[in-house]
Coordinates of all heavy atoms in Angstrom, one line a residue:
V134 N 129.5 94.6 122.4 CA 128.3 94.9 121.7 C 127.3 93.8 121.8 O 126.1 93.9 122.1 CB 128.6 95.3 120.2 CG1 127.3 95.4 119.4 CG2 129.4 96.5 120.1
R135 N 127.8 92.6 121.7 CA 127.0 91.4 121.7 C 126.4 91.2 123.1 O 125.3 90.5 123.2 CB 127.8 90.1 121.3 CG 128.2 90.2 119.8 CD 128.9 88.9 119.4 NE 127.9 87.8 119.2 CZ 127.1 87.7 118.2 NH1 127.2 88.5 117.2 NH2 126.3 86.6 118.1
A136 N 127.0 91.7 124.1 CA 126.5 91.6 125.5 C 125.3 92.6 125.7 O 124.5 92.4 126.6 CB 127.6 91.8 126.5
I137 N 125.3 93.7 124.9 CA 124.3 94.7 125.1 C 123.0 94.5 124.3 O 121.9 94.7 124.7 CB 124.9 96.1 124.7 CG1 126.0 96.5 125.7 CG2 123.8 97.2 124.7 CD1 126.8 97.7 125.3
L138 N 123.2 94.1 123.0 CA 122.1 94.0 122.1 C 121.4 92.7 122.1 O 122.0 91.7 122.3 CB 122.6 94.3 120.6 CG 123.2 95.7 120.4 CD1 123.6 95.8 118.9 CD2 122.2 96.8 120.8
P139 N 120.1 92.7 121.9 CA 119.3 91.5 121.8 C 119.7 90.7 120.5 O 120.0 91.3 119.5 CB 117.9 91.9 121.8 CG 117.9 93.3 121.2 CD 119.2 93.9 121.6
R140 N 119.5 89.4 120.5 CA 119.6 88.6 119.3 C 118.3 88.3 118.7 O 117.3 88.2 119.4 CB 120.3 87.2 119.7 CG 121.8 87.3 120.0 CD 122.3 86.0 120.6 NE 123.7 86.0 120.7 CZ 124.4 86.7 121.6 NH1 123.8 87.5 122.5 NH2 125.8 86.6 121.6
A141 N 118.2 88.4 117.4 CA 117.0 88.0 116.7 C 116.6 86.6 117.2 O 117.4 85.7 117.2 CB 117.2 88.0 115.2
S142 N 115.3 86.5 117.5 CA 114.8 85.2 118.1 C 114.8 84.1 117.0 O 114.6 84.3 115.8 CB 113.4 85.4 118.7 OG 112.5 85.8 117.7
E143 N 115.1 82.9 117.5 CA 115.2 81.7 116.6 C 113.8 81.4 116.0 O 112.8 81.4 116.7 CB 115.7 80.5 117.4 CG 115.9 79.3 116.5 CD 116.6 78.2 117.3 OE1 117.0 78.4 118.5 OE2 116.6 77.0 116.8
G144 N 113.8 81.2 114.7 CA 112.5 80.9 114.1 C 111.5 82.0 113.9 O 110.3 81.8 113.6
R145 N 112.0 83.2 114.0 CA 111.1 84.4 114.0 C 110.4 84.6 112.6 O 109.2 85.0 112.6 CB 111.8 85.7 114.4 CG 112.8 86.2 113.4 CD 113.6 87.3 114.0 NE 114.5 87.9 113.1 CZ 114.3 89.1 112.4 NH1 113.2 89.7 112.6 NH2 115.2 89.5 111.6
W146 N 111.1 84.2 111.5 CA 110.4 84.4 110.2 C 109.3 83.4 110.0 O 108.2 83.7 109.5 CB 111.4 84.3 109.1 CG 112.3 85.5 109.0 CD1 113.7 85.5 109.3 CD2 112.0 86.9 108.8 NE1 114.2 86.8 109.2 CE2 113.2 87.6 108.8 CE3 110.8 87.5 108.4 CZ2 113.2 89.0 108.6 CZ3 110.8 88.9 108.2 CH2 111.9 89.6 108.3
R147 N 109.5 82.2 110.6 CA 108.4 81.2 110.5 C 107.2 81.7 111.3 O 106.1 81.6 110.9 CB 109.0 79.9 111.0 CG 107.9 78.8 111.2 CD 108.4 77.5 111.8 NE 109.2 77.7 113.0 CZ 108.6 78.0 114.2 NH1 107.3 78.0 114.3 NH2 109.4 78.1 115.2
R148 N 107.5 82.2 112.5 CA 106.4 82.7 113.4 C 105.7 83.9 112.8 O 104.5 84.0 112.9 CB 107.0 83.1 114.8 CG 107.4 81.8 115.6 CD 107.6 82.2 117.1 NE 108.6 83.2 117.2 CZ 109.9 82.9 117.3 NH1 110.3 81.7 117.2 NH2 110.8 83.9 117.4
F149 N 106.5 84.8 112.1 CA 105.9 85.9 111.4 C 104.9 85.4 110.4 O 103.8 85.9 110.3 CB 107.0 86.8 110.8 CG 106.4 87.8 109.8 CD1 105.7 88.9 110.3 CD2 106.5 87.6 108.5 CE1 105.2 89.8 109.4 CE2 105.9 88.5 107.6 CZ 105.3 89.6 108.1
A150 N 105.3 84.4 109.6 CA 104.4 83.9 108.5 C 103.2 83.3 109.2 O 102.0 83.6 108.7 CB 105.2 82.8 107.7
E151 N 103.3 82.6 110.2 CA 102.1 82.0 110.9 C 101.2 83.1 111.4 O 100.0 83.0 111.3 CB 102.6 81.1 112.1 CG 103.3 79.8 111.6 CD 104.0 79.1 112.8 OE1 104.0 79.6 113.9 OE2 104.5 78.0 112.5
D152 N 101.8 84.1 112.0 CA 101.0 85.2 112.6 C 100.3 86.0 111.5 O 99.1 86.4 111.7 CB 101.9 86.2 113.4 CG 102.4 85.5 114.7 OD1 101.8 84.4 115.1 OD2 103.3 86.1 115.3
A153 N 101.0 86.2 110.4 CA 100.4 87.0 109.3 C 99.2 86.2 108.7 O 98.1 86.8 108.4 CB 101.4 87.2 108.2
R154 N 99.3 84.9 108.6 CA 98.2 84.1 108.1 C 97.0 84.2 109.1 O 95.9 84.4 108.7 CB 98.6 82.7 107.9 CG 99.6 82.5 106.8 CD 99.9 81.0 106.6 NE 101.0 80.7 105.6 CZ 102.2 80.5 105.9 NH1 102.7 80.4 107.1 NH2 103.1 80.3 104.9
A155 N 97.3 84.1 110.4 CA 96.2 84.1 111.3 C 95.6 85.4 111.5 O 94.3 85.5 111.7 CB 96.8 83.6 112.7
E156 N 96.3 86.5 111.5 CA 95.8 87.8 111.8 C 95.4 88.7 110.6 O 94.6 89.6 110.7 CB 96.8 88.6 112.7 CG 97.0 87.8 114.0 CD 98.0 88.6 114.9 OE1 97.9 89.8 115.1 OE2 99.0 87.9 115.4
L157 N 96.0 88.4 109.4 CA 95.7 89.3 108.3 C 94.9 88.6 107.2 O 94.3 89.3 106.4 CB 97.1 89.7 107.7 CG 98.0 90.5 108.6 CD1 99.3 90.9 107.9 CD2 97.3 91.8 109.1
F158 N 95.0 87.3 107.0 CA 94.3 86.7 105.9 C 92.8 87.0 105.8 O 92.2 87.1 104.8 CB 94.6 85.2 105.8 CG 95.9 84.8 105.1 CD1 96.9 85.7 105.1 CD2 96.0 83.6 104.5 CE1 98.1 85.4 104.4 CE2 97.2 83.3 103.8 CZ 98.3 84.2 103.8
G159 N 92.2 87.1 107.0 CA 90.8 87.3 107.0 C 90.4 88.7 106.6 O 89.2 89.0 106.3
L160 N 91.4 89.6 106.4 CA 91.2 91.0 106.0 C 91.5 91.1 104.5 O 91.4 92.2 104.0 CB 92.1 91.9 106.8 CG 91.9 91.9 108.3 CD1 93.0 92.8 109.0 CD2 90.5 92.2 108.7
M161 N 91.9 90.0 103.8 CA 92.3 90.1 102.4 C 91.3 89.5 101.5 O 90.4 88.7 101.9 CB 93.6 89.4 102.2 CG 94.8 89.9 103.0 SD 96.2 88.8 102.8 CE 97.4 89.6 103.9
S162 N 91.4 89.9 100.2 CA 90.6 89.2 99.2 C 91.2 87.9 98.9 O 92.3 87.6 99.3 CB 90.6 90.1 97.9 OG 91.9 90.2 97.4
D163 N 90.5 87.0 98.1 CA 91.1 85.7 97.7 C 92.4 85.9 97.0 O 93.4 85.2 97.2 CB 90.1 85.0 96.8 CG 88.9 84.5 97.6 OD1 89.0 84.5 98.9 OD2 87.9 84.2 97.0
S164 N 92.5 86.9 96.0 CA 93.7 87.1 95.3 C 94.8 87.6 96.2 O 96.0 87.3 96.0 CB 93.5 88.0 94.1 OG 93.0 89.3 94.6
G165 N 94.4 88.5 97.2 CA 95.4 89.0 98.1 C 96.0 87.9 99.0 O 97.2 87.9 99.2
R166 N 95.2 86.9 99.4 CA 95.7 85.8 100.2 C 96.6 85.0 99.4 O 97.7 84.5 99.9 CB 94.5 85.0 100.7 CG 93.8 85.6 101.9 CD 92.9 84.6 102.6 NE 91.7 84.3 101.7 CZ 90.6 85.1 101.8 NH1 90.5 86.1 102.6 NH2 89.6 84.8 101.0
R167 N 96.3 84.8 98.1 CA 97.2 84.0 97.2 C 98.6 84.7 97.1 O 99.6 84.1 97.2 CB 96.6 83.7 95.9 CG 95.5 82.7 95.9 CD 95.1 82.3 94.5 NE 94.5 83.4 93.7 CZ 93.2 83.7 93.7 NH1 92.3 83.0 94.4 NH2 92.8 84.7 93.0
R168 N 98.5 86.0 96.9 CA 99.8 86.7 96.8 C 100.6 86.7 98.1 O 101.8 86.4 98.1 CB 99.5 88.2 96.4 CG 100.7 89.1 96.5 CD 100.4 90.5 96.2 NE 101.6 91.4 96.5 CZ 101.7 92.6 96.0 NH1 100.8 93.2 95.3 NH2 102.9 93.3 96.3
A169 N 99.9 86.9 99.2 CA 100.6 86.9 100.5 C 101.2 85.5 100.8 O 102.3 85.4 101.3 CB 99.6 87.2 101.6
E170 N 100.5 84.4 100.4 CA 101.0 83.1 100.7 C 102.3 82.8 99.9 O 103.2 82.2 100.4 CB 99.9 82.1 100.3 CG 100.3 80.6 100.6 CD 100.7 80.4 102.1 OE1 99.9 80.9 103.0 OE2 101.8 79.9 102.3
Q171 N 102.3 83.3 98.7 CA 103.6 83.2 97.9 C 104.7 83.9 98.6 O 105.9 83.4 98.6 CB 103.4 83.8 96.5 CG 102.4 82.9 95.6 CD 102.2 83.6 94.2 OE1 102.4 84.8 94.1 NE2 101.8 82.7 93.3
E172 N 104.5 85.1 99.1 CA 105.5 85.9 99.8 C 105.9 85.2 101.1 O 107.1 85.3 101.5 CB 105.0 87.3 100.0 CG 104.8 88.1 98.7 CD 104.0 89.3 98.9 OE1 103.4 89.5 99.9 OE2 104.0 90.2 98.0
L173 N 105.0 84.7 101.8 CA 105.3 84.1 103.1 C 105.9 82.7 103.0 O 106.7 82.3 103.9 CB 104.0 84.0 103.9 CG 103.3 85.3 104.3 CD1 102.0 85.1 105.0 CD2 104.2 86.1 105.3
A174 N 105.6 82.0 101.9 CA 106.1 80.6 101.8 C 107.6 80.6 101.8 O 108.2 79.6 102.3 CB 105.5 80.0 100.5
V175 N 108.3 81.6 101.2 CA 109.7 81.5 101.1 C 110.4 81.8 102.4 O 111.6 81.6 102.6 CB 110.2 82.5 100.0 CG1 109.7 82.2 98.7 CG2 109.8 84.0 100.4
L176 N 109.7 82.3 103.4 CA 110.3 82.6 104.7 C 110.7 81.4 105.5 O 111.6 81.5 106.3 CB 109.4 83.5 105.5 CG 109.0 84.9 105.0 CD1 108.0 85.6 106.0 CD2 110.2 85.7 104.7
G177 N 110.1 80.3 105.2 CA 110.4 79.1 105.9 C 111.8 78.6 105.8 O 112.4 77.9 106.6
G178 N 112.4 79.0 104.7 CA 113.8 78.6 104.4 C 114.9 79.5 104.9 O 116.1 79.3 104.7
L179 N 114.5 80.6 105.5 CA 115.5 81.6 105.9 C 116.2 81.1 107.2 O 115.6 80.7 108.2 CB 114.8 83.0 106.3 CG 114.2 83.7 105.1 CD1 113.6 85.1 105.6 CD2 115.3 84.0 104.0
P180 N 117.5 81.2 107.2 CA 118.3 80.7 108.4 C 118.2 81.7 109.5 O 117.9 82.9 109.3 CB 119.7 80.6 107.8 CG 119.8 81.7 106.7 CD 118.4 81.7 106.1
D181 N 118.5 81.3 110.7 CA 118.7 82.2 111.8 C 120.1 82.7 111.9 O 121.0 82.0 112.2 CB 118.3 81.4 113.1 CG 116.8 81.0 113.2 OD1 116.0 81.8 112.9 OD2 116.6 79.8 113.5
I182 N 120.2 84.0 111.6 CA 121.6 84.6 111.5 C 121.6 85.8 112.6 O 120.7 86.6 112.6 CB 121.9 85.2 110.1 CG1 121.9 84.0 109.1 CG2 123.2 86.0 110.1 CD1 122.1 84.5 107.7
T183 N 122.7 85.8 113.4 CA 122.8 86.8 114.4 C 124.2 87.3 114.4 O 124.7 87.6 115.5 CB 122.4 86.3 115.8 OG1 123.2 85.2 116.1 CG2 120.9 85.8 115.8
R184 N 124.8 87.5 113.3 CA 126.3 87.8 113.3 C 126.6 89.3 113.2 O 127.7 89.7 113.4 CB 127.0 87.1 112.1 CG 126.5 87.5 110.7 CD 127.5 86.9 109.7 NE 127.0 87.1 108.3 CZ 126.4 86.2 107.6 NH1 126.2 85.0 108.1 NH2 126.0 86.5 106.4
A185 N 125.6 90.2 112.8 CA 125.8 91.6 112.6 C 124.8 92.4 113.4 O 123.7 92.0 113.7 CB 125.7 91.9 111.1
V186 N 125.2 93.7 113.7 CA 124.3 94.6 114.2 C 123.4 95.0 113.0 O 123.9 95.3 111.9 CB 125.0 95.9 114.7 CG1 124.0 97.0 115.0 CG2 125.8 95.6 115.9
V187 N 122.1 94.9 113.2 CA 121.1 95.3 112.2 C 120.2 96.3 112.7 O 119.6 96.2 113.8 CB 120.3 94.0 111.7 CG1 119.2 94.3 110.8 CG2 121.3 93.0 111.0
H188 N 120.0 97.4 112.0 CA 119.1 98.5 112.4 C 117.7 98.0 112.4 O 116.9 98.3 113.3 CB 119.3 99.6 111.4 CG 118.4 100.8 111.7 ND1 117.1 100.9 111.2 CD2 118.6 102.0 112.3 CE1 116.5 102.0 111.6 NE2 117.4 102.7 112.3
G189 N 117.2 97.3 111.4 CA 115.9 96.7 111.3 C 114.9 97.6 110.6 O 113.8 97.1 110.3
D190 N 115.2 98.9 110.3 CA 114.2 99.7 109.6 C 115.0 100.8 108.9 O 114.8 102.0 109.1 CB 113.2 100.3 110.6 CG 112.1 101.0 109.8 OD1 112.0 100.9 108.6 OD2 111.3 101.7 110.5
L191 N 116.0 100.4 108.1 CA 116.9 101.3 107.5 C 116.4 101.9 106.2 O 117.1 102.0 105.2 CB 118.3 100.6 107.2 CG 119.5 101.5 107.1 CD1 119.8 102.2 108.4 CD2 120.7 100.6 106.7
G192 N 115.1 102.3 106.2 CA 114.5 102.9 105.0 C 115.0 104.3 104.9 O 115.6 104.9 105.8
A193 N 114.7 104.9 103.8 CA 115.3 106.3 103.4 C 114.9 107.3 104.5 O 115.7 108.2 104.8 CB 114.8 106.7 102.1
E194 N 113.7 107.2 105.1 CA 113.2 108.2 106.0 C 114.0 108.2 107.3 O 114.0 109.2 108.1 CB 111.7 108.1 106.3 CG 111.4 106.8 107.1 CD 111.3 105.5 106.3 OE1 111.6 105.6 105.1 OE2 111.0 104.5 106.9
N195 N 114.8 107.2 107.6 CA 115.5 107.1 108.8 C 117.0 107.3 108.7 O 117.7 107.2 109.7 CB 115.3 105.7 109.5 CG 113.9 105.5 110.0 OD1 113.3 106.5 110.5 ND2 113.4 104.3 110.0
V196 N 117.4 107.7 107.5 CA 118.9 107.9 107.2 C 119.0 109.4 106.8 O 118.4 109.9 105.9 CB 119.4 107.0 106.1 CG1 120.9 107.2 105.9 CG2 119.2 105.5 106.5
L197 N 119.9 110.1 107.6 CA 120.0 111.6 107.4 C 121.3 111.9 106.7 O 122.4 111.3 107.0 CB 119.9 112.3 108.7 CG 118.7 112.0 109.5 CD1 118.7 112.8 110.8 CD2 117.4 112.3 108.7
W198 N 121.3 112.9 105.8 CA 122.4 113.3 105.0 C 122.6 114.8 105.0 O 121.6 115.6 105.2 CB 122.2 112.9 103.5 CG 121.9 111.4 103.3 CD1 120.7 110.8 103.6 CD2 122.8 110.4 102.9 NE1 120.8 109.5 103.3 CE2 122.1 109.2 102.9 CE3 124.1 110.5 102.5 CZ2 122.7 108.0 102.5 CZ3 124.7 109.3 102.1 CH2 124.0 108.1 102.1
K199 N 123.8 115.3 104.8 CA 124.1 116.7 104.6 C 124.9 116.8 103.3 O 125.7 115.9 103.0 CB 125.0 117.2 105.8 CG 124.2 117.7 107.0 CD 125.2 118.4 108.0 CE 124.4 118.9 109.1 NZ 125.3 119.7 110.1
W200 N 124.6 117.9 102.6 CA 125.3 118.1 101.3 C 126.5 118.9 101.5 O 126.5 120.0 102.2 CB 124.3 118.8 100.3 CG 123.3 117.9 99.8 CD1 122.1 117.6 100.4 CD2 123.3 117.1 98.6 NE1 121.4 116.7 99.7 CE2 122.1 116.4 98.6 CE3 124.2 117.0 97.6 CZ2 121.8 115.6 97.5 CZ3 123.9 116.2 96.5 CH2 122.7 115.5 96.5
E201 N 127.6 118.4 101.1 CA 128.9 119.1 101.2 C 129.6 119.0 99.8 O 129.8 117.9 99.3 CB 129.8 118.5 102.2 CG 129.2 118.6 103.7 CD 130.1 118.0 104.7 OE1 131.2 117.5 104.3 OE2 129.7 118.0 105.9
H202 N 130.0 120.2 99.2 CA 130.7 120.3 98.0 C 129.9 119.5 96.9 O 130.5 118.8 96.0 CB 132.1 119.7 98.1 CG 132.9 120.3 99.2 ND1 133.2 121.7 99.2 CD2 133.3 119.8 100.4 CE1 133.9 121.9 100.3 NE2 134.0 120.8 101.0
G203 N 128.6 119.6 96.9 CA 127.7 119.0 95.9 C 127.5 117.6 96.0 O 126.8 116.9 95.1
L204 N 127.9 116.9 97.2 CA 127.7 115.5 97.4 C 127.1 115.3 98.8 O 127.4 116.0 99.7 CB 129.0 114.7 97.2 CG 129.6 114.7 95.8 CD1 130.9 114.1 95.9 CD2 128.7 113.9 94.9
P205 N 126.2 114.3 98.9 CA 125.6 114.0 100.2 C 126.6 113.2 101.1 O 127.3 112.3 100.6 CB 124.4 113.1 99.8 CG 124.7 112.5 98.5 CD 125.7 113.4 97.8
Q206 N 126.5 113.6 102.4 CA 127.3 112.9 103.4 C 126.4 112.3 104.4 O 125.6 113.0 105.0 CB 128.3 113.8 104.0 CG 129.3 114.5 103.1 CD 130.2 113.5 102.3 OE1 130.7 112.6 102.9 NE2 130.3 113.7 101.0

Side-chain angles (χ1 to χ4, degrees):
V134 173
R135 297 186 69 82
I137 293 173
L138 297 183
R140 286 168 171 76
S142 58
E143 186 175 350
R145 70 191 183 98
W146 289 114
R147 174 183 52 77
R148 288 194 300 276
F149 167 75
E151 293 170 352
D152 292 346
R154 293 183 182 102
E156 300 179 48
L157 298 178
F158 272 28
L160 305 174
M161 299 177 183
S162 65
D163 289 343
S164 62
R166 282 191 289 273
R167 287 193 293 271
R168 171 179 173 167
E170 184 55 50
Q171 290 177 338
E172 294 165 345
L173 295 172
V175 298
L176 297 181
L179 292 182
D181 294 313
I182 296 174
T183 60
R184 63 169 174 259
V186 171
V187 171
H188 179 276
D190 190 10
L191 203 63
E194 69 281 0
N195 289 328
V196 182
L197 302 182
W198 305 77
K199 277 188 173 182
W200 287 83
E201 297 178 2
H202 308 295
L204 292 172
Q206 302 298 317

